[in-house]
PDB file of all heavy atoms in Angstrom:
ATOM      1  N   MET A  11     -17.423  64.565-108.460  1.00 78.00           N
ATOM      2  CA  MET A  11     -17.187  65.437-107.304  1.00 78.00           C
ATOM      3  C   MET A  11     -17.240  64.510-106.105  1.00 78.00           C
ATOM      4  O   MET A  11     -18.106  63.760-105.867  1.00 78.00           O
ATOM      5  CB  MET A  11     -18.092  66.618-107.170  1.00 78.00           C
ATOM      6  CG  MET A  11     -17.916  67.435-105.925  1.00 78.00           C
ATOM      7  SD  MET A  11     -19.132  68.729-105.707  1.00 78.00           S
ATOM      8  CE  MET A  11     -19.013  69.621-107.215  1.00 78.00           C
ATOM      9  N   TYR A  12     -16.244  64.727-105.188  1.00 84.00           N
ATOM     10  CA  TYR A  12     -16.209  63.917-103.997  1.00 84.00           C
ATOM     11  C   TYR A  12     -16.963  64.603-102.922  1.00 84.00           C
ATOM     12  O   TYR A  12     -16.957  65.781-102.732  1.00 84.00           O
ATOM     13  CB  TYR A  12     -14.755  63.750-103.499  1.00 84.00           C
ATOM     14  CG  TYR A  12     -14.596  62.942-102.232  1.00 84.00           C
ATOM     15  CD1 TYR A  12     -14.666  61.542-102.365  1.00 84.00           C
ATOM     16  CD2 TYR A  12     -14.313  63.603-101.011  1.00 84.00           C
ATOM     17  CE1 TYR A  12     -14.525  60.789-101.106  1.00 84.00           C
ATOM     18  CE2 TYR A  12     -14.141  62.866 -99.892  1.00 84.00           C
ATOM     19  CZ  TYR A  12     -14.199  61.452 -99.931  1.00 84.00           C
ATOM     20  OH  TYR A  12     -14.078  60.734 -98.836  1.00 84.00           O
ATOM     21  N   THR A  13     -17.867  63.795-102.154  1.00 86.00           N
ATOM     22  CA  THR A  13     -18.616  64.307-101.008  1.00 86.00           C
ATOM     23  C   THR A  13     -18.311  63.506 -99.804  1.00 86.00           C
ATOM     24  O   THR A  13     -18.197  62.322 -99.833  1.00 86.00           O
ATOM     25  CB  THR A  13     -20.155  64.159-101.368  1.00 86.00           C
ATOM     26  OG1 THR A  13     -20.412  64.829-102.590  1.00 86.00           O
ATOM     27  CG2 THR A  13     -21.037  64.688-100.279  1.00 86.00           C
ATOM     28  N   LEU A  14     -18.024  64.336 -98.741  1.00 82.00           N
ATOM     29  CA  LEU A  14     -17.743  63.700 -97.406  1.00 82.00           C
ATOM     30  C   LEU A  14     -18.861  64.073 -96.527  1.00 82.00           C
ATOM     31  O   LEU A  14     -19.188  65.302 -96.366  1.00 82.00           O
ATOM     32  CB  LEU A  14     -16.472  64.233 -96.957  1.00 82.00           C
ATOM     33  CG  LEU A  14     -15.988  63.810 -95.559  1.00 82.00           C
ATOM     34  CD1 LEU A  14     -15.852  62.316 -95.455  1.00 82.00           C
ATOM     35  CD2 LEU A  14     -14.757  64.543 -95.089  1.00 82.00           C
ATOM     36  N   GLU A  15     -19.504  63.164 -95.876  1.00 86.00           N
ATOM     37  CA  GLU A  15     -20.509  63.458 -94.863  1.00 86.00           C
ATOM     38  C   GLU A  15     -20.127  62.886 -93.498  1.00 86.00           C
ATOM     39  O   GLU A  15     -19.674  61.745 -93.411  1.00 86.00           O
ATOM     40  CB  GLU A  15     -21.863  62.917 -95.281  1.00 86.00           C
ATOM     41  CG  GLU A  15     -22.441  63.614 -96.524  1.00 86.00           C
ATOM     42  CD  GLU A  15     -23.785  63.068 -96.822  1.00 86.00           C
ATOM     43  OE1 GLU A  15     -24.567  62.692 -95.926  1.00 86.00           O
ATOM     44  OE2 GLU A  15     -24.172  63.153 -98.019  1.00 86.00           O
ATOM     45  N   LYS A  16     -20.282  63.671 -92.445  1.00 83.00           N
ATOM     46  CA  LYS A  16     -19.982  63.241 -91.062  1.00 83.00           C
ATOM     47  C   LYS A  16     -21.118  63.643 -90.181  1.00 83.00           C
ATOM     48  O   LYS A  16     -21.673  64.758 -90.419  1.00 83.00           O
ATOM     49  CB  LYS A  16     -18.678  63.864 -90.569  1.00 83.00           C
ATOM     50  CG  LYS A  16     -17.460  63.451 -91.377  1.00 83.00           C
ATOM     51  CD  LYS A  16     -17.027  62.088 -90.806  1.00 83.00           C
ATOM     52  CE  LYS A  16     -15.712  61.709 -91.493  1.00 83.00           C
ATOM     53  NZ  LYS A  16     -15.223  60.460 -91.120  1.00 83.00           N
ATOM     54  N   GLU A  17     -21.377  62.904 -89.123  1.00 85.00           N
ATOM     55  CA  GLU A  17     -22.304  63.326 -88.156  1.00 85.00           C
ATOM     56  C   GLU A  17     -21.683  63.267 -86.827  1.00 85.00           C
ATOM     57  O   GLU A  17     -20.785  62.443 -86.639  1.00 85.00           O
ATOM     58  CB  GLU A  17     -23.554  62.345 -88.071  1.00 85.00           C
ATOM     59  CG  GLU A  17     -24.460  62.484 -89.285  1.00 85.00           C
ATOM     60  CD  GLU A  17     -25.697  61.590 -89.176  1.00 85.00           C
ATOM     61  OE1 GLU A  17     -25.895  60.972 -88.079  1.00 85.00           O
ATOM     62  OE2 GLU A  17     -26.430  61.551 -90.146  1.00 85.00           O
ATOM     63  N   GLN A  18     -22.072  64.117 -85.943  1.00 85.00           N
ATOM     64  CA  GLN A  18     -21.571  64.150 -84.575  1.00 85.00           C
ATOM     65  C   GLN A  18     -22.765  64.381 -83.668  1.00 85.00           C
ATOM     66  O   GLN A  18     -23.550  65.296 -83.883  1.00 85.00           O
ATOM     67  CB  GLN A  18     -20.616  65.322 -84.394  1.00 85.00           C
ATOM     68  CG  GLN A  18     -19.910  65.318 -83.072  1.00 85.00           C
ATOM     69  CD  GLN A  18     -18.802  66.347 -82.916  1.00 85.00           C
ATOM     70  OE1 GLN A  18     -18.617  67.197 -83.835  1.00 85.00           O
ATOM     71  NE2 GLN A  18     -18.019  66.176 -81.927  1.00 85.00           N
ATOM     72  N   PHE A  19     -22.863  63.590 -82.711  1.00 87.00           N
ATOM     73  CA  PHE A  19     -24.027  63.616 -81.724  1.00 87.00           C
ATOM     74  C   PHE A  19     -23.464  64.344 -80.431  1.00 87.00           C
ATOM     75  O   PHE A  19     -22.539  63.941 -79.853  1.00 87.00           O
ATOM     76  CB  PHE A  19     -24.548  62.263 -81.388  1.00 87.00           C
ATOM     77  CG  PHE A  19     -25.160  61.649 -82.632  1.00 87.00           C
ATOM     78  CD1 PHE A  19     -24.417  60.757 -83.413  1.00 87.00           C
ATOM     79  CD2 PHE A  19     -26.420  61.869 -83.034  1.00 87.00           C
ATOM     80  CE1 PHE A  19     -24.934  60.167 -84.553  1.00 87.00           C
ATOM     81  CE2 PHE A  19     -27.005  61.329 -84.270  1.00 87.00           C
ATOM     82  CZ  PHE A  19     -26.182  60.477 -84.902  1.00 87.00           C
ATOM     83  N   VAL A  20     -24.321  65.370 -79.987  1.00 88.00           N
ATOM     84  CA  VAL A  20     -24.009  66.107 -78.900  1.00 88.00           C
ATOM     85  C   VAL A  20     -25.129  66.103 -77.924  1.00 88.00           C
ATOM     86  O   VAL A  20     -26.292  66.373 -78.388  1.00 88.00           O
ATOM     87  CB  VAL A  20     -23.576  67.564 -79.269  1.00 88.00           C
ATOM     88  CG1 VAL A  20     -23.298  68.351 -78.142  1.00 88.00           C
ATOM     89  CG2 VAL A  20     -22.436  67.547 -80.292  1.00 88.00           C
ATOM     90  N   THR A  21     -24.944  65.926 -76.675  1.00 90.00           N
ATOM     91  CA  THR A  21     -26.033  65.999 -75.704  1.00 90.00           C
ATOM     92  C   THR A  21     -26.188  67.389 -75.147  1.00 90.00           C
ATOM     93  O   THR A  21     -25.821  67.688 -74.032  1.00 90.00           O
ATOM     94  CB  THR A  21     -25.874  64.987 -74.544  1.00 90.00           C
ATOM     95  OG1 THR A  21     -24.586  65.260 -73.928  1.00 90.00           O
ATOM     96  CG2 THR A  21     -25.871  63.556 -75.058  1.00 90.00           C
ATOM     97  N   ALA A  22     -26.696  68.251 -75.960  1.00 91.00           N
ATOM     98  CA  ALA A  22     -26.929  69.680 -75.605  1.00 91.00           C
ATOM     99  C   ALA A  22     -28.126  70.163 -76.419  1.00 91.00           C
ATOM    100  O   ALA A  22     -28.394  69.653 -77.452  1.00 91.00           O
ATOM    101  CB  ALA A  22     -25.720  70.539 -75.831  1.00 91.00           C
ATOM    102  N   SER A  23     -28.690  71.262 -76.045  1.00 91.00           N
ATOM    103  CA  SER A  23     -29.831  71.818 -76.753  1.00 91.00           C
ATOM    104  C   SER A  23     -29.275  72.524 -78.066  1.00 91.00           C
ATOM    105  O   SER A  23     -28.085  72.839 -78.162  1.00 91.00           O
ATOM    106  CB  SER A  23     -30.442  72.900 -75.984  1.00 91.00           C
ATOM    107  OG  SER A  23     -29.679  74.034 -75.790  1.00 91.00           O
ATOM    108  N   LEU A  24     -30.154  72.699 -79.057  1.00 92.00           N
ATOM    109  CA  LEU A  24     -29.809  73.337 -80.250  1.00 92.00           C
ATOM    110  C   LEU A  24     -29.234  74.818 -79.949  1.00 92.00           C
ATOM    111  O   LEU A  24     -28.264  75.187 -80.555  1.00 92.00           O
ATOM    112  CB  LEU A  24     -30.961  73.455 -81.226  1.00 92.00           C
ATOM    113  CG  LEU A  24     -31.368  72.250 -81.817  1.00 92.00           C
ATOM    114  CD1 LEU A  24     -32.676  72.511 -82.759  1.00 92.00           C
ATOM    115  CD2 LEU A  24     -30.348  71.662 -82.797  1.00 92.00           C
ATOM    116  N   GLU A  25     -29.893  75.403 -78.917  1.00 93.00           N
ATOM    117  CA  GLU A  25     -29.387  76.777 -78.638  1.00 93.00           C
ATOM    118  C   GLU A  25     -27.968  76.791 -78.015  1.00 93.00           C
ATOM    119  O   GLU A  25     -27.148  77.670 -78.447  1.00 93.00           O
ATOM    120  CB  GLU A  25     -30.374  77.470 -77.611  1.00 93.00           C
ATOM    121  CG  GLU A  25     -31.705  77.714 -78.160  1.00 93.00           C
ATOM    122  CD  GLU A  25     -32.627  76.502 -78.308  1.00 93.00           C
ATOM    123  OE1 GLU A  25     -32.335  75.496 -77.715  1.00 93.00           O
ATOM    124  OE2 GLU A  25     -33.631  76.573 -79.102  1.00 93.00           O
ATOM    125  N   LYS A  26     -27.633  75.856 -77.138  1.00 94.00           N
ATOM    126  CA  LYS A  26     -26.271  75.737 -76.602  1.00 94.00           C
ATOM    127  C   LYS A  26     -25.326  75.446 -77.697  1.00 94.00           C
ATOM    128  O   LYS A  26     -24.245  75.890 -77.771  1.00 94.00           O
ATOM    129  CB  LYS A  26     -26.221  74.699 -75.519  1.00 94.00           C
ATOM    130  CG  LYS A  26     -26.772  75.244 -74.215  1.00 94.00           C
ATOM    131  CD  LYS A  26     -26.379  74.293 -73.088  1.00 94.00           C
ATOM    132  CE  LYS A  26     -26.787  74.926 -71.803  1.00 94.00           C
ATOM    133  NZ  LYS A  26     -26.083  74.376 -70.659  1.00 94.00           N
ATOM    134  N   CYS A  27     -25.657  74.519 -78.639  1.00 94.00           N
ATOM    135  CA  CYS A  27     -24.780  74.142 -79.734  1.00 94.00           C
ATOM    136  C   CYS A  27     -24.535  75.326 -80.571  1.00 94.00           C
ATOM    137  O   CYS A  27     -23.357  75.653 -80.990  1.00 94.00           O
ATOM    138  CB  CYS A  27     -25.335  73.016 -80.579  1.00 94.00           C
ATOM    139  SG  CYS A  27     -25.303  71.433 -79.731  1.00 94.00           S
ATOM    140  N   TRP A  28     -25.617  76.088 -80.908  1.00 95.00           N
ATOM    141  CA  TRP A  28     -25.447  77.273 -81.766  1.00 95.00           C
ATOM    142  C   TRP A  28     -24.630  78.371 -81.067  1.00 95.00           C
ATOM    143  O   TRP A  28     -23.733  78.936 -81.652  1.00 95.00           O
ATOM    144  CB  TRP A  28     -26.865  77.904 -82.086  1.00 95.00           C
ATOM    145  CG  TRP A  28     -26.651  78.988 -83.187  1.00 95.00           C
ATOM    146  CD1 TRP A  28     -26.752  80.321 -82.809  1.00 95.00           C
ATOM    147  CD2 TRP A  28     -26.364  78.856 -84.531  1.00 95.00           C
ATOM    148  NE1 TRP A  28     -26.554  80.986 -83.948  1.00 95.00           N
ATOM    149  CE2 TRP A  28     -26.302  80.220 -84.986  1.00 95.00           C
ATOM    150  CE3 TRP A  28     -26.095  77.819 -85.355  1.00 95.00           C
ATOM    151  CZ2 TRP A  28     -25.915  80.527 -86.319  1.00 95.00           C
ATOM    152  CZ3 TRP A  28     -25.814  78.060 -86.611  1.00 95.00           C
ATOM    153  CH2 TRP A  28     -25.791  79.309 -87.151  1.00 95.00           C
ATOM    154  N   ASP A  29     -24.788  78.541 -79.793  1.00 95.00           N
ATOM    155  CA  ASP A  29     -24.016  79.533 -79.101  1.00 95.00           C
ATOM    156  C   ASP A  29     -22.468  79.190 -79.262  1.00 95.00           C
ATOM    157  O   ASP A  29     -21.658  80.073 -79.263  1.00 95.00           O
ATOM    158  CB  ASP A  29     -24.399  79.571 -77.580  1.00 95.00           C
ATOM    159  CG  ASP A  29     -25.684  80.304 -77.367  1.00 95.00           C
ATOM    160  OD1 ASP A  29     -26.112  81.043 -78.216  1.00 95.00           O
ATOM    161  OD2 ASP A  29     -26.230  80.238 -76.259  1.00 95.00           O
ATOM    162  N   PHE A  30     -22.190  77.942 -79.147  1.00 95.00           N
ATOM    163  CA  PHE A  30     -20.837  77.507 -79.376  1.00 95.00           C
ATOM    164  C   PHE A  30     -20.332  77.690 -80.855  1.00 95.00           C
ATOM    165  O   PHE A  30     -19.221  78.294 -81.021  1.00 95.00           O
ATOM    166  CB  PHE A  30     -20.710  76.018 -78.965  1.00 95.00           C
ATOM    167  CG  PHE A  30     -19.255  75.426 -79.219  1.00 95.00           C
ATOM    168  CD1 PHE A  30     -18.278  75.687 -78.216  1.00 95.00           C
ATOM    169  CD2 PHE A  30     -18.961  74.777 -80.296  1.00 95.00           C
ATOM    170  CE1 PHE A  30     -17.025  75.103 -78.428  1.00 95.00           C
ATOM    171  CE2 PHE A  30     -17.692  74.200 -80.584  1.00 95.00           C
ATOM    172  CZ  PHE A  30     -16.773  74.418 -79.585  1.00 95.00           C
ATOM    173  N   LEU A  31     -21.092  77.253 -81.811  1.00 94.00           N
ATOM    174  CA  LEU A  31     -20.764  77.263 -83.179  1.00 94.00           C
ATOM    175  C   LEU A  31     -20.641  78.693 -83.783  1.00 94.00           C
ATOM    176  O   LEU A  31     -19.940  78.920 -84.614  1.00 94.00           O
ATOM    177  CB  LEU A  31     -21.640  76.477 -84.003  1.00 94.00           C
ATOM    178  CG  LEU A  31     -21.439  74.877 -83.885  1.00 94.00           C
ATOM    179  CD1 LEU A  31     -22.507  74.271 -84.737  1.00 94.00           C
ATOM    180  CD2 LEU A  31     -20.049  74.517 -84.376  1.00 94.00           C
ATOM    181  N   ARG A  32     -21.519  79.604 -83.315  1.00 95.00           N
ATOM    182  CA  ARG A  32     -21.534  81.004 -83.860  1.00 95.00           C
ATOM    183  C   ARG A  32     -20.261  81.765 -83.654  1.00 95.00           C
ATOM    184  O   ARG A  32     -19.987  82.718 -84.260  1.00 95.00           O
ATOM    185  CB  ARG A  32     -22.757  81.720 -83.456  1.00 95.00           C
ATOM    186  CG  ARG A  32     -22.706  82.149 -82.020  1.00 95.00           C
ATOM    187  CD  ARG A  32     -23.960  82.919 -81.663  1.00 95.00           C
ATOM    188  NE  ARG A  32     -23.871  83.374 -80.324  1.00 95.00           N
ATOM    189  CZ  ARG A  32     -24.754  83.965 -79.677  1.00 95.00           C
ATOM    190  NH1 ARG A  32     -25.979  84.124 -80.144  1.00 95.00           N
ATOM    191  NH2 ARG A  32     -24.574  84.431 -78.462  1.00 95.00           N
ATOM    192  N   ASN A  33     -19.378  81.299 -82.665  1.00 96.00           N
ATOM    193  CA  ASN A  33     -18.150  81.995 -82.432  1.00 96.00           C
ATOM    194  C   ASN A  33     -17.061  81.279 -83.308  1.00 96.00           C
ATOM    195  O   ASN A  33     -16.727  80.182 -83.068  1.00 96.00           O
ATOM    196  CB  ASN A  33     -17.784  81.881 -80.994  1.00 96.00           C
ATOM    197  CG  ASN A  33     -16.444  82.584 -80.625  1.00 96.00           C
ATOM    198  OD1 ASN A  33     -15.685  82.903 -81.478  1.00 96.00           O
ATOM    199  ND2 ASN A  33     -16.392  82.999 -79.408  1.00 96.00           N
ATOM    200  N   PRO A  34     -16.559  81.960 -84.281  1.00 94.00           N
ATOM    201  CA  PRO A  34     -15.564  81.414 -85.123  1.00 94.00           C
ATOM    202  C   PRO A  34     -14.334  80.957 -84.511  1.00 94.00           C
ATOM    203  O   PRO A  34     -13.755  79.929 -85.024  1.00 94.00           O
ATOM    204  CB  PRO A  34     -15.255  82.630 -86.159  1.00 94.00           C
ATOM    205  CG  PRO A  34     -16.379  83.524 -86.106  1.00 94.00           C
ATOM    206  CD  PRO A  34     -16.874  83.371 -84.711  1.00 94.00           C
ATOM    207  N   ALA A  35     -13.951  81.499 -83.373  1.00 93.00           N
ATOM    208  CA  ALA A  35     -12.769  80.996 -82.657  1.00 93.00           C
ATOM    209  C   ALA A  35     -12.855  79.583 -82.270  1.00 93.00           C
ATOM    210  O   ALA A  35     -11.917  78.912 -82.052  1.00 93.00           O
ATOM    211  CB  ALA A  35     -12.494  81.974 -81.533  1.00 93.00           C
ATOM    212  N   ASN A  36     -14.121  79.107 -82.129  1.00 92.00           N
ATOM    213  CA  ASN A  36     -14.371  77.729 -81.641  1.00 92.00           C
ATOM    214  C   ASN A  36     -13.997  76.714 -82.700  1.00 92.00           C
ATOM    215  O   ASN A  36     -14.059  75.470 -82.442  1.00 92.00           O
ATOM    216  CB  ASN A  36     -15.788  77.512 -81.125  1.00 92.00           C
ATOM    217  CG  ASN A  36     -15.869  78.205 -79.769  1.00 92.00           C
ATOM    218  OD1 ASN A  36     -15.024  78.434 -78.981  1.00 92.00           O
ATOM    219  ND2 ASN A  36     -17.132  78.665 -79.454  1.00 92.00           N
ATOM    220  N   LEU A  37     -13.843  77.136 -83.925  1.00 87.00           N
ATOM    221  CA  LEU A  37     -13.429  76.216 -85.023  1.00 87.00           C
ATOM    222  C   LEU A  37     -12.159  75.399 -84.551  1.00 87.00           C
ATOM    223  O   LEU A  37     -11.975  74.258 -84.900  1.00 87.00           O
ATOM    224  CB  LEU A  37     -13.119  76.910 -86.337  1.00 87.00           C
ATOM    225  CG  LEU A  37     -14.395  77.422 -87.061  1.00 87.00           C
ATOM    226  CD1 LEU A  37     -13.935  78.367 -88.172  1.00 87.00           C
ATOM    227  CD2 LEU A  37     -15.255  76.372 -87.548  1.00 87.00           C
ATOM    228  N   ASN A  38     -11.351  76.064 -83.810  1.00 84.00           N
ATOM    229  CA  ASN A  38     -10.097  75.329 -83.325  1.00 84.00           C
ATOM    230  C   ASN A  38     -10.460  74.209 -82.544  1.00 84.00           C
ATOM    231  O   ASN A  38      -9.733  73.195 -82.564  1.00 84.00           O
ATOM    232  CB  ASN A  38      -9.242  76.312 -82.499  1.00 84.00           C
ATOM    233  CG  ASN A  38      -8.495  77.332 -83.242  1.00 84.00           C
ATOM    234  OD1 ASN A  38      -8.207  77.182 -84.534  1.00 84.00           O
ATOM    235  ND2 ASN A  38      -8.052  78.449 -82.682  1.00 84.00           N
ATOM    236  N   LEU A  39     -11.518  74.281 -81.756  1.00 87.00           N
ATOM    237  CA  LEU A  39     -11.840  73.280 -80.800  1.00 87.00           C
ATOM    238  C   LEU A  39     -12.554  72.048 -81.529  1.00 87.00           C
ATOM    239  O   LEU A  39     -12.577  70.911 -80.876  1.00 87.00           O
ATOM    240  CB  LEU A  39     -12.830  73.802 -79.682  1.00 87.00           C
ATOM    241  CG  LEU A  39     -12.242  74.880 -78.833  1.00 87.00           C
ATOM    242  CD1 LEU A  39     -13.253  75.430 -77.913  1.00 87.00           C
ATOM    243  CD2 LEU A  39     -10.949  74.398 -78.107  1.00 87.00           C
ATOM    244  N   ILE A  40     -13.077  72.186 -82.694  1.00 84.00           N
ATOM    245  CA  ILE A  40     -13.810  71.084 -83.340  1.00 84.00           C
ATOM    246  C   ILE A  40     -13.015  70.541 -84.524  1.00 84.00           C
ATOM    247  O   ILE A  40     -13.480  69.541 -85.176  1.00 84.00           O
ATOM    248  CB  ILE A  40     -15.240  71.520 -83.669  1.00 84.00           C
ATOM    249  CG1 ILE A  40     -15.243  72.661 -84.770  1.00 84.00           C
ATOM    250  CG2 ILE A  40     -16.147  71.868 -82.502  1.00 84.00           C
ATOM    251  CD1 ILE A  40     -16.622  72.972 -85.304  1.00 84.00           C
ATOM    252  N   THR A  41     -11.920  71.083 -84.797  1.00 85.00           N
ATOM    253  CA  THR A  41     -11.084  70.586 -85.935  1.00 85.00           C
ATOM    254  C   THR A  41     -10.087  69.540 -85.459  1.00 85.00           C
ATOM    255  O   THR A  41      -9.540  69.766 -84.372  1.00 85.00           O
ATOM    256  CB  THR A  41     -10.298  71.761 -86.610  1.00 85.00           C
ATOM    257  OG1 THR A  41     -11.222  72.779 -87.010  1.00 85.00           O
ATOM    258  CG2 THR A  41      -9.500  71.342 -87.740  1.00 85.00           C
ATOM    259  N   PRO A  42     -10.041  68.427 -86.134  1.00 83.00           N
ATOM    260  CA  PRO A  42      -9.015  67.388 -85.611  1.00 83.00           C
ATOM    261  C   PRO A  42      -7.657  68.009 -85.330  1.00 83.00           C
ATOM    262  O   PRO A  42      -7.058  68.787 -86.203  1.00 83.00           O
ATOM    263  CB  PRO A  42      -9.047  66.416 -86.740  1.00 83.00           C
ATOM    264  CG  PRO A  42     -10.340  66.568 -87.351  1.00 83.00           C
ATOM    265  CD  PRO A  42     -10.653  68.008 -87.276  1.00 83.00           C
ATOM    266  N   ARG A  43      -6.987  67.703 -84.247  1.00 86.00           N
ATOM    267  CA  ARG A  43      -5.721  68.244 -83.851  1.00 86.00           C
ATOM    268  C   ARG A  43      -4.645  67.995 -84.906  1.00 86.00           C
ATOM    269  O   ARG A  43      -3.712  68.743 -85.038  1.00 86.00           O
ATOM    270  CB  ARG A  43      -5.334  67.643 -82.499  1.00 86.00           C
ATOM    271  CG  ARG A  43      -6.158  68.133 -81.361  1.00 86.00           C
ATOM    272  CD  ARG A  43      -5.576  67.427 -80.078  1.00 86.00           C
ATOM    273  NE  ARG A  43      -6.489  67.686 -79.025  1.00 86.00           N
ATOM    274  CZ  ARG A  43      -6.308  68.531 -77.971  1.00 86.00           C
ATOM    275  NH1 ARG A  43      -5.203  69.169 -77.943  1.00 86.00           N
ATOM    276  NH2 ARG A  43      -7.168  68.710 -77.062  1.00 86.00           N
ATOM    277  N   ASP A  44      -4.637  66.886 -85.614  1.00 86.00           N
ATOM    278  CA  ASP A  44      -3.646  66.476 -86.552  1.00 86.00           C
ATOM    279  C   ASP A  44      -3.662  67.437 -87.768  1.00 86.00           C
ATOM    280  O   ASP A  44      -2.718  67.408 -88.555  1.00 86.00           O
ATOM    281  CB  ASP A  44      -3.718  65.026 -86.936  1.00 86.00           C
ATOM    282  CG  ASP A  44      -4.972  64.672 -87.616  1.00 86.00           C
ATOM    283  OD1 ASP A  44      -5.975  65.340 -87.447  1.00 86.00           O
ATOM    284  OD2 ASP A  44      -4.995  63.716 -88.380  1.00 86.00           O
ATOM    285  N   LEU A  45      -4.636  68.285 -87.952  1.00 86.00           N
ATOM    286  CA  LEU A  45      -4.745  69.246 -89.055  1.00 86.00           C
ATOM    287  C   LEU A  45      -3.935  70.532 -88.676  1.00 86.00           C
ATOM    288  O   LEU A  45      -3.740  71.428 -89.503  1.00 86.00           O
ATOM    289  CB  LEU A  45      -6.104  69.597 -89.414  1.00 86.00           C
ATOM    290  CG  LEU A  45      -6.900  68.431 -90.039  1.00 86.00           C
ATOM    291  CD1 LEU A  45      -8.297  68.817 -90.386  1.00 86.00           C
ATOM    292  CD2 LEU A  45      -6.138  67.819 -91.232  1.00 86.00           C
ATOM    293  N   HIS A  46      -3.569  70.625 -87.420  1.00 89.00           N
ATOM    294  CA  HIS A  46      -2.759  71.858 -86.965  1.00 89.00           C
ATOM    295  C   HIS A  46      -3.331  73.116 -87.360  1.00 89.00           C
ATOM    296  O   HIS A  46      -2.757  74.056 -87.938  1.00 89.00           O
ATOM    297  CB  HIS A  46      -1.289  71.732 -87.428  1.00 89.00           C
ATOM    298  CG  HIS A  46      -0.604  70.485 -87.037  1.00 89.00           C
ATOM    299  ND1 HIS A  46      -0.216  70.128 -85.811  1.00 89.00           N
ATOM    300  CD2 HIS A  46      -0.298  69.459 -87.844  1.00 89.00           C
ATOM    301  CE1 HIS A  46       0.291  68.942 -85.762  1.00 89.00           C
ATOM    302  NE2 HIS A  46       0.237  68.410 -87.016  1.00 89.00           N
ATOM    303  N   PHE A  47      -4.756  73.273 -87.095  1.00 90.00           N
ATOM    304  CA  PHE A  47      -5.509  74.352 -87.567  1.00 90.00           C
ATOM    305  C   PHE A  47      -5.220  75.671 -86.705  1.00 90.00           C
ATOM    306  O   PHE A  47      -5.309  75.507 -85.454  1.00 90.00           O
ATOM    307  CB  PHE A  47      -6.908  73.963 -87.314  1.00 90.00           C
ATOM    308  CG  PHE A  47      -7.987  74.971 -87.778  1.00 90.00           C
ATOM    309  CD1 PHE A  47      -8.493  74.968 -89.133  1.00 90.00           C
ATOM    310  CD2 PHE A  47      -8.531  75.764 -86.875  1.00 90.00           C
ATOM    311  CE1 PHE A  47      -9.426  75.869 -89.415  1.00 90.00           C
ATOM    312  CE2 PHE A  47      -9.441  76.681 -87.231  1.00 90.00           C
ATOM    313  CZ  PHE A  47      -9.980  76.686 -88.549  1.00 90.00           C
TER     314      PHE A  47
END
């Protein structure tokens, strides 16, 4: 089985990051543009 691991460092609190991630519409903003998500 292939496993891919990535890390991204963000200078914000866990709460601010969670507020962003909990909204499914924001998946568009964190998906690479070339995937045409």
Side-chain angles (χ1 to χ4, degrees):
M11 180 182 305
Y12 181 76
T13 301
L14 174 65
E15 292 186 29
K16 295 281 186 178
E17 288 185 5
Q18 185 172 13
F19 296 94
V20 178
T21 56
S23 68
L24 287 176
E25 292 78 16
K26 279 192 173 199
C27 290
W28 185 258
D29 283 343
F30 177 83
L31 285 176
R32 72 180 185 188
N33 184 337
N36 287 334
L37 288 171
N38 284 339
L39 300 173
I40 62 172
T41 301
R43 291 180 192 251
D44 61 336
L45 295 179
H46 307 287
F47 182 90

